[in-house]
Amino acid sequence: MQLLLAAIVVLPLLGAVAALLPAPPGLRGRDPEQAVLRHGVTVTGLVLVLSVALAIGFDHDRAEAMQATTDIRWIPALDIRVHLGIDGISLPLLVMTALLTFLCALYSYFRMPPGGSPMAFVALLLVLEAGTLATFAVLDLILFFLAFEMVLIPMYFLIARWGGQENTAGATPAGADASTGSDAPAGSDRERAAWRFILYTLLGSVVMLLGLLLIGLKGGTFDMVALASDNGAGLSHSTQVIAVLAIGVGLAVKAPMWPLHSWLPDAHTAAPTVGSVLLAGVLLKMGTYGLVRIALPMAPEGAHTLAPYLAAFAVVGILYGSLACLALALPTSDRGDRLGPTAALTPARPKADLKRLIAYSSVGHMGFVLLGIATLTPTGVNGALFANIAHGLITGLLFFLVGALKERFGSTDLDQLAGGARASGAALYGRAPRLGALLAFGAVASLGLPGLAGFWGEMLAMFGAYEPADGLSRPAYLTFLALAGIGTLLTAAYLLIVVRRVCMGEPATGGALATAGAPAPDGTPSTAVPVAVGAPTVVSGATRTAETPPDAAPDTALSDTGSPGPASPAAVAAVGSSRRDDAIADVRGHELAAWTPLVVLTVLAGLWPAALLGLTDPAVQHLLGGGS
């Protein structure tokens, strides 16, 4: 078990170094780029296998105890040790990190984002995996900080170099860059998003380091197990408050907690698909994990003092994230066009980007995690840890699906996706039913449908708010509970709007159909005959688009002279060609392989929550009880 955990942490680093070296002659293959991508799949796959083996060998009857421990003196003068170990809190996060990284490597093998060398891409991906795995495995405060910072540089380059450049298929959407065939962020936008990400997290980390040093120096050791067992006994009340405040600010940036979240939407919008999956599925969990592992057991009095403020910020984040998503999900006419002549005086509305919407949804969902932690109860903290895992699975799946939509449609703009469905006469259910079904599944799982993973974490966090820890104001937490309940309703609203617009299509507006015999504006009978929506028809040598039902037969289109009657072969061919162009690729084989584990685990976690709660609950009871 010791060797397994050590290998899990070290192997990605060795794989990153190997990815930068020339491949041995027998492993080069015909395509060196595919060879290095295959190397990434192999290394991450091996790490996943070792993680599963570690989970199988884990003693579930002693989930509160640190297992597979390694304790080696590293810097004796500062009492810094290479101390590794896992318990019921860190094991699920470790396995989820290995799984998501492997799925990202597998997805990239078939859909490598352009923008840089595959060697550098694979090396950065493996360094990112090593940092996240180490964060969940180390038991020394200084090593925790080093591992926490280790992920920043790889994610910066993934956003700045490969961000927003997924391969797209199909025609260039309106407003897109014709040179790329997509509305991908310009290079300056990607770099600005990457800089915001690294500056926010670095500034937060500096403050967090001060808090970690304060706890370590005042407590006499940097060993996380010893400090948790002391339960703040050697720290004064003021020291604990200052330490929790400093550590909490640094971790809240990564969580992300409102109002320290503003880096997240830009980073998600600019990041490549695999970057968004890892950012939402893994990196955000590092902040909440640190609160549970460090703040609650090592400085309990400080956590108790600041818990109501954390809960208040969490609830504001829930409502803010939900309202921001609702504003993005609504059609343009519902968001601003009703202002009429005054619309020009209002600030420009944000682009209704689907990736941006999911990023804002993460602010709301992670608000439930923070609310559960702020209750300081086993029920709430268990709910927070469950919601961590559920969010990683569901949001990772959603970002994979949004990447597939961008590849097929050239855009993730909601107005363009919904408008394209209306123009073609077939929404996602009609054009790619499996892809539409998966998107609907991810949406209902994210809104917390009972029987899926998203339900249990949020419910337990709210149960914890109903009866917070002793000494916390119950009326205040009941208010937080009520506001969080409103957030769940808003979450259901915006996700169902997204499903309706993208998967089901929007109803045609009035006047979209020109029915034969209907009077024209000048009072004369109309002779227009329905033609296929969005289908180009030839009218006096020109091409126009008519808005009529998609099932109209080609032979009822206007003739070449513009009068009703049998259409010419050219018009019929144009309509048929348009219908063939409307068809898009449904779920491909490599996509099915990458997404199926996330779907299966989302269902299993929803139907059998005891499998995860049975791991976390003994460890949470142990931490909150001061090691007893």
Side-chain angles (χ1 to χ4, degrees):
M1 293 287 286
Q2 291 176 327
L3 293 177
L4 277 178
L5 183 58
I8 289 169
V9 175
V10 174
L11 186 59
L13 285 176
L14 298 178
V17 174
L20 298 175
L21 299 176
L27 300 178
R28 291 175 184 174
R30 297 181 180 179
D31 188 347
E33 294 186 354
Q34 289 299 105
V36 72
L37 292 174
R38 185 167 56 249
H39 168 78
V41 175
T42 303
V43 174
T44 56
L46 182 57
V47 172
L48 176 60
V49 171
L50 295 178
S51 301
V52 173
L54 185 68
I56 294 174
F58 185 81
D59 187 354
H60 291 66
D61 294 331
R62 296 190 308 112
E64 73 282 359
M66 286 295 171
Q67 303 180 33
T69 56
T70 298
D71 193 358
I72 303 173
R73 299 182 68 182
W74 182 30
I75 307 178
L78 299 177
D79 193 26
I80 299 176
R81 314 176 70 87
V82 179
H83 193 182
L84 304 178
I86 55 168
D87 62 357
I89 294 175
S90 53
L91 178 61
L93 292 168
L94 194 81
V95 176
M96 185 180 71
T97 298
L99 173 64
L100 287 177
T101 310
F102 169 71
L103 297 180
C104 287
L106 180 65
Y107 187 84
S108 300
Y109 178 78
F110 294 94
R111 306 299 300 181
M112 168 69 190
S117 165
M119 295 175 60
F121 178 85
V122 171
L124 291 171
L125 190 67
L126 292 174
V127 171
L128 182 66
E129 181 183 30
T132 51
L133 290 172
T135 300
F136 300 134
V138 297
L139 297 174
D140 185 276
L141 288 179
I142 301 301
L143 283 184
F144 176 85
F145 175 78
L146 294 177
F148 195 88
E149 296 302 291
M150 185 177 174
V151 304
L152 300 184
I153 300 302
M155 183 55 68
Y156 167 81
F157 282 108
L158 286 176
I159 296 173
R161 190 69 182 271
W162 287 273
Q165 301 187 59
E166 279 87 359
N167 294 322
T168 57
T172 303
D177 183 357
S179 63
T180 62
S182 70
D183 59 350
S188 59
D189 295 334
R190 299 194 303 271
E191 293 176 1
R192 181 165 56 250
W195 273 112
R196 290 192 68 184
F197 161 76
I198 199 169
L199 288 177
Y200 267 76
T201 51
L202 277 177
L203 290 175
S205 298
V206 171
V207 179
M208 181 182 71
L209 177 61
L210 297 178
L212 295 176
L213 292 175
L214 181 61
I215 287 182
L217 295 176
K218 291 292 185 179
T221 179
F222 291 106
D223 186 84
M224 296 167 66
V225 176
L227 289 169
S229 299
D230 290 343
N231 205 221
L235 306 176
S236 66
H237 178 77
S238 59
T239 300
Q240 291 190 34
V241 172
I242 295 173
V244 171
L245 183 61
I247 294 172
V249 168
L251 296 175
V253 173
K254 188 67 71 72
M257 182 187 75
W258 181 92
L260 303 175
H261 71 283
S262 58
W263 61 270
L264 184 69
D266 289 339
H268 268 307
T269 304
T273 295
V274 295
S276 294
V277 171
L278 293 176
L279 182 59
V282 178
L283 267 66
L284 302 189
K285 311 306 177 287
M286 295 165 62
T288 52
Y289 170 79
L291 288 174
V292 175
R293 177 66 71 190
I294 298 174
L296 298 190
M298 299 181 193
E301 294 181 18
H304 192 280
T305 300
L306 297 176
Y309 302 97
L310 176 61
F313 282 118
V315 170
V316 173
I318 292 172
L319 295 176
Y320 173 82
S322 301
L323 290 173
C325 291
L326 188 61
L328 293 174
L330 290 173
T332 303
S333 58
D334 292 339
R335 278 182 280 155
D337 289 358
R338 293 178 180 177
L339 297 176
T342 64
L345 303 178
T346 61
R349 65 174 179 84
K351 183 179 178 183
D353 189 277
L354 193 52
K355 289 186 73 174
R356 195 174 192 87
L357 184 147
I358 299 175
Y360 274 113
S361 76
S362 294
V363 177
H365 288 304
M366 297 306 291
F368 282 99
V369 177
L370 294 172
L371 177 61
I373 295 173
T375 66
L376 304 182
T377 62
T379 301
V381 176
N382 275 302
L385 295 173
F386 197 102
N388 256 344
I389 301 298
H391 180 265
L393 298 174
I394 297 169
T395 308
L397 175 63
L398 286 174
F399 275 118
F400 270 134
L401 294 170
V402 173
L405 289 177
K406 185 170 185 178
E407 175 196 333
R408 288 157 171 80
F409 292 96
S411 173
T412 54
D413 184 80
L414 265 173
D415 292 333
Q416 292 186 16
L417 293 174
R422 181 171 63 247
S424 65
L428 195 59
Y429 282 157
R431 303 174 69 181
R434 295 181 182 86
L435 186 60
L438 284 172
L439 182 61
F441 172 84
V444 297
S446 183
L447 64 83
L449 184 71
L452 298 177
F455 171 75
W456 296 105
E458 296 182 2
M459 185 197 70
L460 291 174
M462 295 171 71
F463 276 176
Y466 182 75
E467 290 187 1
D470 294 339
L472 297 178
S473 173
R474 191 160 187 259
Y477 275 81
L478 289 177
T479 303
F480 299 149
L481 170 61
L483 294 176
I486 296 174
T488 61
L489 298 178
L490 294 174
T491 301
Y494 71 74
L495 286 171
L496 292 177
I497 290 173
V498 169
V499 171
R500 187 202 68 191
R501 297 186 67 197
V502 178
C503 297
M504 302 178 183
E506 293 179 325
T509 58
L513 299 181
T515 306
D522 58 0
T524 59
S526 172
T527 57
V529 177
V531 294
V533 175
T537 57
V538 180
V539 182
S540 300
T543 301
R544 71 173 182 87
T545 300
E547 293 180 323
T548 50
D551 54 352
D555 57 2
T556 63
L558 295 178
S559 65
D560 293 345
T561 61
S563 60
S568 66
V572 174
V575 175
S577 175
S578 175
R579 290 180 173 178
R580 287 191 299 271
D581 292 341
D582 288 341
I584 61 172
D586 211 336
V587 179
R588 301 185 178 99
H590 68 278
E591 294 171 336
L592 185 65
W595 303 343
T596 298
L598 302 179
V599 174
V600 172
L601 289 175
T602 298
V603 174
L604 289 178
L607 296 178
W608 191 24
L612 182 57
L613 294 174
L615 281 174
T616 61
D617 185 58
V620 168
Q621 299 274 3
H622 184 75
L623 282 181
L624 295 181
S628 61

